[in-house]
């Protein structure tokens, strides 16, 4: 078995709404599953954008199955593996690989102060290459278009590792207060502290905050001592710290009359 075959098996066996959000540069499907309890809030949760962080694909399956069983409110779209080409490379060629099949780091390929990050590079490689332009890659365009299609109230991006939450991207005023409140709630239920991403840009979370004006969190899961790629055997332990994230944020939506 492999990460991609395990993801496909989860997708095919999932009993709820599901489909294909788009295709990778090499033509692989990017699957989604959806759990729909109430029309709002809509949460979009995406996983395994960085190839070597494929433990999060297994976390996605656990979170989707758990949320489906709960009597909670909201709709959540789960994208377990948004970078299937890169996952194939990380699993079979270079275990430290982060980029997609064309050597573009998808999490610096979004139109949010693109190309201004401190670690950005201008040539293809295993990590940090920003691409020729924002949304130059099939995978980033697919996630952009699926976000527009689903119109989420909030997004979650699962990465590894370090057990920290990133939430800031130049938001000000009431939006900053709102987003900090949500981030603190997720910190409370996971035990992960809030972090400072430094001079970073072009990420999916960044784009959601700056261009869509919605709350967006990046959660780095897995203890920092673990080596990349984190073994899928750690997914259950990671899930235990994240199992209440979705219910916490969806209930915040109702308690506050919306985000």
């Amino acid at each position: 078995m492999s990460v991609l075959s395990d993801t496909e098996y989860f997708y095919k066996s999932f009993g709820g709404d599901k489909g294909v959000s788009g295709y990778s540069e090499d033509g692989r499907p990017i699957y989604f599953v959806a759990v729909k309890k109430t029309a709002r809030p809509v949460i979009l949760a995406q996983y395994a954008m960085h190839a070597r962080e494929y433990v999060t694909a297994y976390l996605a399956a656990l979170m989707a199955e758990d949320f489906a069983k709960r009597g909670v409110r909201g709709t959540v779209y789960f994208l377990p593996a948004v970078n299937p080409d890169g996952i194939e490379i990380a699993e079979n060629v270079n275990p430290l690989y982060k980029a997609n099949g064309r050597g573009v780091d998808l999490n610096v390929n979004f139109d949010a102060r693109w190309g201004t990050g401190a670690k950005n590079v201008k040539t293809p490689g295993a990590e940090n290459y920003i691409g020729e332009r924002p949304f130059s890659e099939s995978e980033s365009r697919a996630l952009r278009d699926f976000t527009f299609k689903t119109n989420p109230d909030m997004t979650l991006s699962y990465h590894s590792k370090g057990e920290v939450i990133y939430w800031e991207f130049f938001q000000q005023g009431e939006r900053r207060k709102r987003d900090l409140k949500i981030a603190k709630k997720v910190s409370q239920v996971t035990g992960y502290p809030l972090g400072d991403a430094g001079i970073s840009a072009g990420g999916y979370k960044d784009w959601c905050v700056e261009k869509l004006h919605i709350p967006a969190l990046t959660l780095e899961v897995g203890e920092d001592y673990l080596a990349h790629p984190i073994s899928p055997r750690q997914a259950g332990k990671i899930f235990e710290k994240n199992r209440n994230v979705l219910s916490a944020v969806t209930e915040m939506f109702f308690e506050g009359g919306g985000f």
Side-chain angles (χ1 to χ4, degrees), residues 179-252:
D179 295 358
L180 178 57
K181 182 179 179 181
I182 295 169
K184 285 182 175 179
K185 181 63 176 182
V186 175
S187 175
Q188 177 185 344
V189 300
T190 60
Y192 300 164
L194 304 186
D196 180 357
I199 305 173
S200 65
Y204 176 65
K205 177 266 291 176
D206 307 334
W207 176 72
C208 290
V209 169
E210 185 168 70
K211 297 301 174 67
L212 305 186
H213 294 175
I214 61 174
L217 304 181
T218 293
L219 293 90
E220 297 278 358
V221 302
E223 295 174 275
D224 205 32
Y225 77 88
L226 296 168
H228 284 303
I230 295 175
S231 168
R233 291 191 295 272
Q234 292 286 330
K237 185 177 180 181
I238 292 169
F239 166 69
E240 288 304 318
K241 294 184 179 182
N242 286 271
R243 67 185 309 156
N244 294 318
V245 168
L246 295 170
S247 57
V249 296
T250 54
E251 288 308 305
M252 281 188 75

Side-chain angles (χ1 to χ4, degrees), residues 157-187:
S157 297
Y158 272 93
H159 289 255
S160 67
K161 59 189 174 76
E163 296 194 326
V164 65
I165 298 168
Y166 299 115
W167 64 278
E168 294 180 276
F169 197 72
F170 301 101
Q171 63 268 62
Q172 300 294 328
E174 291 303 314
R175 287 201 297 122
R176 184 175 180 83
K177 292 178 183 178
R178 174 200 66 186
D179 295 358
L180 178 57
K181 182 179 179 181
I182 295 169
K184 285 182 175 179
K185 181 63 176 182
V186 175
S187 175

Side-chain angles (χ1 to χ4, degrees), residues 83-100:
N83 182 13
D85 298 348
I87 290 172
E88 182 74 14
I89 294 170
E91 194 170 24
N92 297 297
V93 180
N94 177 0
L96 297 182
Y97 197 81
K98 292 175 68 177
N100 74 346

Side-chain angles (χ1 to χ4, degrees), residues 50-90:
H50 282 150
R52 71 187 186 189
E53 299 167 17
Y54 54 70
V55 66
T56 60
Y58 295 89
L59 174 63
L62 294 172
M63 292 182 71
E65 290 168 350
D66 179 72
F67 192 73
K69 296 174 184 176
R70 294 190 179 208
V72 293
R73 296 177 283 185
T75 287
V76 183
Y77 291 91
F78 300 85
L79 292 92
V82 301
N83 182 13
D85 298 348
I87 290 172
E88 182 74 14
I89 294 170

Side-chain angles (χ1 to χ4, degrees), residues 118-132:
K119 296 181 179 180
N120 290 168
V121 300
K122 303 297 178 64
T123 55
E127 58 184 317
N128 298 330
Y129 172 47
I130 61 177
E132 298 170 357

